[in-house]
Amino acid sequence: MSILEKRYEEGMQIGRREGIKEGIKEGIKEGIQEGLQEGRREKSLHYAIKLLTKKFGRLPENYRAKIENADIETLDLIIEEIFALESLHEIDKYL
């Protein structure tokens, strides 16, 4: 193996290691972001169910399932609008 080939191989190995390090770093960063997002969603879900239950009593299973499948934006909207809702059926427009 010539010196040029050795240098090329060393460079490739260094590049692979750096690529792996960078990939791991990005993976951890994305994992943390996804975890934070899911945590925020769970918190919104908890408060949406708690407030709706407090206002309207026990939630029918079909509404509870819809709420549990809602995204964070929808859950936050339900929480924001809780005082304007006069019946549980009004949340259908959000779900």
Side-chain angles (χ1 to χ4, degrees), residues 41 44 66-77 94-95:
R41 187 192 166 282
S44 292
K66 287 180 187 179
I67 294 165
E68 287 175 353
N69 288 318
D71 60 30
I72 191 169
E73 290 82 11
T74 302
L75 294 169
D76 287 345
L77 186 58
Y94 306 116
L95 302 172

Side-chain angles (χ1 to χ4, degrees), residues 26-43:
E26 279 298 310
I28 290 170
K29 185 177 177 180
E30 286 179 24
I32 290 170
Q33 285 298 103
E34 288 175 16
L36 289 171
Q37 188 85 2
E38 185 57 28
R40 285 183 26 235
R41 187 192 166 282
E42 288 296 320
K43 183 178 177 184

Side-chain angles (χ1 to χ4, degrees), residues 29-93:
K29 185 177 177 180
E30 286 179 24
I32 290 170
Q33 285 298 103
E34 288 175 16
L36 289 171
Q37 188 85 2
E38 185 57 28
R40 285 183 26 235
R41 187 192 166 282
E42 288 296 320
K43 183 178 177 184
S44 292
L45 174 61
H46 169 78
Y47 282 112
I49 289 175
K50 185 175 184 172
L51 290 170
L52 288 168
T53 301
K54 193 165 188 92
K55 184 162 185 167
F56 299 114
R58 190 168 189 270
L59 301 178
E61 201 54 44
N62 63 326
Y63 276 100
R64 190 174 187 92
K66 287 180 187 179
I67 294 165
E68 287 175 353
N69 288 318
D71 60 30
I72 191 169
E73 290 82 11
T74 302
L75 294 169
D76 287 345
L77 186 58
I78 291 170
I79 292 167
E80 288 173 21
E81 296 295 318
I82 191 74
F83 296 114
L85 299 174
E86 293 187 23
S87 78
L88 183 58
H89 301 291
E90 290 182 43
I91 69 167
D92 285 332
K93 61 186 170 190

